[in-house]
Amino acid sequence: MITGRREEPLKQTASTDSKISYVAGDITNSQDVDKIMNCIKDRFDGQLDILVNNAGWCPVQSIKDMTIEDYDQAFALDVRALVDLTIQSLPLLLKTKGNIINLSSVGAQHTNYQLSMYVGAKAAVENFTRAWALDLAQDGVRVNAIAPGAIRTNIWNSTNLSEEERAHEKRITDTIPVKRFGQAQEVANVALFLASDEASYVTGSVYAVDGGQGSF
């Protein structure tokens, strides 16, 4: 089951495999989270083995230019929606002794310029990960996080990036020891491990996938 705000990319992904279902919605809206949970119950008889909290928003903005509305928007998606989806998923995960994978960021521990809302939110995600791992260990539910560095996603593939955005990309690349952005598959590989039985003794951990960026 995949979800996101834009239906067309979801539809395209689901068309590649009959086992994939999707729900279009905005997880900052609790009613849309309800819709996701109802679809899991209807289409998969309520069986939920793995929850991947992957949605996020990264505003690049100095605190000097920020409003409280910018804070609300960042934390609504990066923190509140993650907590809401986890709380609503938990009854199903407890039944399957499933596991939760939260997406953090290298910035949670190694911050950079003009990213205060994002890195603040991701620091919360990492602490939720550790606290929930303790809460749920005896229930057989594992909770881990992945902390990616700079990953080559669609935002960086745009041909019409502004000079400021391109300068920001170069600044990021210069801080990465391997001198390149990561690929989405490189994050997915770690998620597959954490979701598998091979990671059955792993909980409360944060795995860096950052090309060495967090080693400074």
Side-chain angles (χ1 to χ4, degrees):
M1 172 73 75
I2 56 176
T3 187
R5 290 174 298 172
R6 294 180 296 141
E7 184 169 12
E8 191 55 37
L10 298 172
K11 186 184 297 184
Q12 290 176 4
T13 300
S15 70
T16 65
D17 192 318
S18 61
K19 296 178 182 178
I20 301 175
S21 296
Y22 73 86
V23 177
D26 181 351
I27 61 171
T28 64
N29 183 334
S30 289
Q31 291 182 335
D32 283 353
V33 176
D34 290 339
K35 184 169 67 173
I36 294 166
M37 302 312 303
N38 288 332
C39 285
I40 292 171
K41 293 171 185 176
D42 292 341
R43 299 180 194 178
F44 300 100
D45 296 324
Q47 181 173 341
L48 179 61
D49 301 291
I50 304 157
L51 171 64
V52 180
N53 283 310
N54 186 48
W57 179 56
C58 181
V60 180
Q61 190 176 23
S62 169
I63 188 64
K64 294 179 289 187
D65 304 317
M66 198 166 290
T67 67
I68 194 62
E69 287 76 20
D70 296 319
Y71 161 85
D72 288 339
Q73 185 176 356
F75 273 69
L77 181 57
D78 292 348
V79 180
R80 185 187 184 281
L82 176 145
V83 174
D84 190 7
L85 191 54
T86 301
I87 288 172
Q88 294 205 42
S89 299
L90 199 52
L92 303 181
L93 290 166
L94 288 168
K95 289 180 182 178
T96 61
K97 297 187 184 300
N99 67 82
I100 300 167
I101 300 171
N102 296 322
L103 269 291
S104 179
S105 166
V106 64
Q109 302 297 326
H110 305 275
T111 192
N112 210 327
Y113 297 101
Q114 299 186 329
L115 296 175
S116 61
M117 291 302 103
Y118 184 67
V119 300
K122 291 304 185 179
V125 169
E126 290 196 3
N127 280 291
F128 280 134
T129 297
R130 296 184 182 97
W132 296 345
L134 293 175
D135 287 349
L136 300 172
Q138 293 191 10
D139 296 295
V141 175
R142 296 186 295 108
V143 189
N144 293 289
I146 301 172
I151 304 299
R152 179 67 60 183
T153 54
N154 286 342
I155 187 173
W156 301 109
N157 294 331
S158 174
T159 58
N160 61 347
L161 291 176
S162 68
E163 288 187 13
E164 181 180 353
E165 288 169 325
R166 292 195 182 282
H168 180 65
E169 180 179 3
K170 184 179 184 303
R171 284 196 299 271
I172 292 173
T173 305
D174 288 344
T175 68
I176 304 171
V178 301
K179 297 304 178 188
R180 68 170 178 87
F181 275 45
Q183 300 297 320
Q185 185 61 48
E186 293 174 299
V187 179
N189 290 338
V190 177
L192 287 169
F193 165 69
L194 290 174
S196 73
D197 290 339
E198 281 74 13
S200 58
Y201 200 55
V202 179
T203 193
S205 295
V206 179
Y207 275 63
V209 185
D210 62 10
Q213 194 175 8
S215 298
F216 288 110

